[in-house]
Amino acid sequence: MDQGIFEMFAQENNPSTPVTPAYSSAYSIPVVEKIVVISIGGSIILDEKPKTNFIAKLAQTITELNQEGFKTCLVVGGGSTARSYIASAKSLGANNFVLDELGISASRLNAQLLISSLENAFPKVLTEISQIKLVLEKGKIPVLAGLLPGLTTDCIAALCAEFLQADFINMTNVDGVYSANPKEDARARKFPELSYEKLLSLMRIADIKPGQNLVLDIPACLILKRSKIKTMVLDGTDLENFKNAVRGLDFEGTIIRETEKSEEEI
Ligand code: UTP
């Protein structure tokens, strides 16, 4: 546990107050407000370099939503930073664990960059999911990135949503979940709504095709399914559409939730 984070809070409230044990209330704080966990794909905040204009607009949008009363928890992806370091280390002979650790470091670098543009974020990238509630309770925005080799930041975001009993929004570089890769198959159709089972079967089919970049990886889908987390997949570059999704209004994208509809209907 990173005790430093909680020391910051203690000092903020009263410089002379001794630091209370970090775990005292991390699990026990009741979740009373609507919280949304947002997985921010690295590809929407970076091309070859960070997209600073877009990052500033995204930060402004998050601030606006927070002022409206929506609490957000952000999880940032590795994008081109991760891919570049992973490719270099691979050519130098690094093993998969080391490659994943580089991906995690890259995602944390991107997360720290986003924090620098946000008005009300907790100043450090969180490294434990259990720290989120305390940060939210203090009125700050928790920002996380990669945590453990073998996972993805979407999976971390799904775990955060499970922990907080929150909704999950995946801001990605496609505008929803399709029946096939829309960039390769002109017949691919977008699903406005999906069941967890159908999402999983689509991702399983995509996963066996080499070079497929899954909208949501299978471990993330399994977490969403087991805790029936309401999930929205949308084009992360369209911030007006994103705001509609957070506000519970109609939005362009795919919504994944428990549905009474049969597979043929969706
Ligand atoms: P991302 O989750 O960002 O992967 O993590 P991505 O599929 O490239 O997503 P975009 O491009 O951001 O949308 C980058 C890499 O970091 C490692 C993995 O190697 C992953 O491919 N990683 C990330 C982990 O090993 N564990 C984590 O918890 C997160």
Side-chain angles (χ1 to χ4, degrees):
M1 165 61 70
D2 186 353
Q3 189 72 9
I5 281 176
F6 299 95
E7 274 163 13
M8 274 191 229
F9 281 143
Q11 279 158 11
E12 204 176 87
N13 294 335
N14 179 356
S16 60
T17 309
V19 178
T20 45
Y23 272 110
S24 62
S25 60
Y27 290 104
S28 56
I29 299 162
V31 181
V32 285
E33 282 149 303
K34 193 80 183 159
I35 305 172
V36 189
V37 175
I38 301 160
S39 182
I40 303 171
S43 56
I44 71 145
I45 55 164
L46 307 139
D47 289 323
E48 286 310 302
K49 284 199 306 188
K51 299 195 272 183
T52 45
N53 285 340
F54 179 78
I55 293 172
K57 283 187 196 142
L58 174 62
Q60 213 180 340
T61 303
I62 301 281
T63 304
E64 202 180 311
L65 290 166
N66 275 264
Q67 284 164 352
E68 287 175 24
F70 296 101
K71 291 205 164 192
T72 50
C73 167
L74 312 180
V75 184
V76 183
S80 57
T81 324
R83 277 192 294 279
S84 153
Y85 274 81
I86 287 172
S88 302
K90 202 171 183 179
S91 71
L92 293 167
N95 64 35
N96 286 333
F97 185 93
V98 174
L99 300 184
D100 276 350
E101 289 218 306
L102 282 167
I104 292 168
S105 297
S107 64
R108 290 181 180 176
L109 194 66
N110 292 338
Q112 196 64 57
L113 181 68
L114 182 63
I115 287 173
S116 72
S117 71
L118 281 162
E119 244 174 57
N120 199 27
F122 186 75
K124 279 174 132 188
V125 181
L126 299 186
T127 53
E128 282 188 36
I129 290 174
S130 60
Q131 297 166 336
I132 301 172
K133 283 188 184 173
L134 203 50
V135 170
L136 282 170
E137 225 211 357
K138 296 287 173 187
K140 298 279 178 196
I141 303 170
V143 183
L144 297 92
L147 285 181
L148 197 72
L151 300 181
T152 63
T153 50
D154 284 340
C155 186
I156 301 301
L159 288 166
C160 293
E162 181 172 69
F163 179 56
L164 295 168
Q165 294 166 259
D167 291 349
F168 173 94
I169 294 184
N170 189 15
M171 297 180 94
T172 184
N173 56 9
V174 282
D175 63 351
V177 182
Y178 282 77
S179 56
N181 186 342
K183 286 169 189 153
E184 287 170 7
D185 187 344
R187 290 165 307 165
R189 74 178 175 103
K190 187 167 81 183
F191 297 99
E193 190 177 343
L194 279 176
S195 64
Y196 298 104
E197 211 37 72
K198 180 80 179 169
L199 173 74
L200 257 170
S201 65
L202 285 169
M203 294 306 130
R204 282 196 182 108
I205 293 165
D207 196 32
I208 49 178
K209 294 185 186 160
Q212 282 282 343
N213 198 357
L214 297 186
V215 179
L216 280 167
D217 60 286
I218 288 163
C221 294
L222 289 170
I223 302 293
L224 298 171
K225 179 174 183 269
R226 76 173 182 182
S227 291
K228 299 181 176 51
I229 296 163
K230 183 179 162 195
T231 300
M232 287 151 275
V233 177
L234 47 80
D235 172 5
T237 61
D238 182 346
L239 294 174
E240 285 307 312
N241 188 51
F242 163 67
K243 279 194 269 189
N244 287 342
V246 176
R247 289 170 179 153
L249 305 172
D250 284 346
F251 70 97
E252 195 54 51
T254 300
I255 184 157
I256 301 133
R257 61 183 161 201
E258 272 219 300
T259 172
E260 299 291 303
K261 292 180 186 170
S262 68
E263 286 203 358
E264 289 71 38
E265 285 177 283
I266 56 177

